[in-house]
Amino acid sequence: MKLALFLPLALAAFVGVAHADEADKVRETTKAEADAFTARIYAGAPGDKAYACFVRRYDAEHLARHPRQKVASMKLLISAETDEEDKQLHNSFRMGFRYRHRSGDFDSSGSCGSHAVLLSQGDEIRMGCGVDCEGGGIEVALSKDSKAAIVRLQQIRVWQNNRPDDEAEHALVAGADDKIFRLDRTDTSDCASLVTDRKELAALRHK
């Protein structure tokens, strides 16, 4: 699985997600900051391959308090793999979710690059992840205790029922209650539904 992505593309993906007033406050982290953030994501040194799974299923009480929220549940799988050519650790993401008033499973995926960990205002480190061909993207941060992922988005290309054809393509656009999602860290097996490659699925289940 090739996950290579140059930093300028990752920067573009991050700035595309960030609000306009935040864009000029974004900088690349130092290697030490990036390594520390990576270790927090994967709950330890990632080695050559690592996974982190975050899940949230919104209950009726939460949805009642947020009547304009479109998303009813969301899963996020962050993966790291060392590229054989450049020997760098590259991150990628897969996201699955269900709408509140719409049937079917929706998903998206993309690359977060090798050094695409950026620091924004308030000393919060965020990882910028993008979907190919101007498909939007997400920002991923961590709660202070590293037990939850904070996902921010403006717009991201998604597909229904894991179908990559253009006819199945949609977009999740942030509304009043769909801009920021807090997902709880859980066992990587809870994100198995996001993986279609059998070898990778076996590796995920053994983590």
Side-chain angles (χ1 to χ4, degrees), residues 154-176:
Q154 289 298 308
Q155 179 173 322
I156 187 170
R157 181 182 298 131
V158 300
W159 289 265
Q160 187 172 10
N161 300 320
N162 202 33
R163 291 171 55 193
D165 57 283
D166 291 340
E167 293 181 0
E169 184 180 317
H170 302 274
L172 172 60
V173 179

Side-chain angles (χ1 to χ4, degrees), residues 14-16 18-27 119-120:
F14 183 92
V15 174
H19 296 292
D21 60 351
E22 291 181 339
D24 61 342
K25 299 168 184 173
V26 173
R27 70 166 175 84
L119 195 68
S120 66

Side-chain angles (χ1 to χ4, degrees), residues 23-41:
D24 61 342
K25 299 168 184 173
V26 173
R27 70 166 175 84
E28 182 184 358
T29 57
T30 64
K31 185 179 185 303
E33 289 171 329
D35 289 347
F37 184 67
T38 298
R40 289 179 62 204
I41 287 179

Side-chain angles (χ1 to χ4, degrees), residues 135-165:
I138 60 174
E139 296 172 10
V140 181
L142 289 173
S143 61
K144 291 184 178 180
D145 60 8
S146 301
K147 293 182 179 180
I150 312 300
V151 179
R152 293 174 173 85
L153 67 86
Q154 289 298 308
Q155 179 173 322
I156 187 170
R157 181 182 298 131
V158 300
W159 289 265
Q160 187 172 10
N161 300 320
N162 202 33
R163 291 171 55 193
D165 57 283

Side-chain angles (χ1 to χ4, degrees), residues 4 22-23 32 53 66-67 85-86 101 103 134 159 164 167 182 194:
E22 291 181 339
C53 176
H66 300 85
E85 295 181 2
D86 65 13
H101 300 300
S103 61
E134 299 181 351
W159 289 265
E167 293 181 0
R182 182 186 175 94
L194 301 177

Side-chain angles (χ1 to χ4, degrees), residues 32-84:
E33 289 171 329
D35 289 347
F37 184 67
T38 298
R40 289 179 62 204
I41 287 179
Y42 300 110
D48 291 334
K49 183 176 289 188
Y51 301 94
C53 176
F54 302 89
V55 174
R56 180 76 179 271
R57 297 174 182 86
Y58 294 97
D59 59 25
E61 182 180 352
H62 175 94
L63 294 174
R65 295 197 308 268
H66 300 85
R68 290 181 290 181
Q69 181 172 324
K70 300 187 291 283
V71 173
S73 64
M74 181 177 286
K75 294 182 179 182
L76 175 69
L77 178 66
I78 302 292
S79 307
E81 184 174 354
T82 299
D83 185 83
E84 294 181 358

Side-chain angles (χ1 to χ4, degrees), residues 21 49 74 78 91 106 116 118 126 135 160 193 205-206:
D21 60 351
K49 183 176 289 188
M74 181 177 286
I78 302 292
N91 299 289
F106 293 79
L118 309 173
R126 302 180 189 177
Q160 187 172 10
S193 62
R205 286 174 170 165
H206 282 86

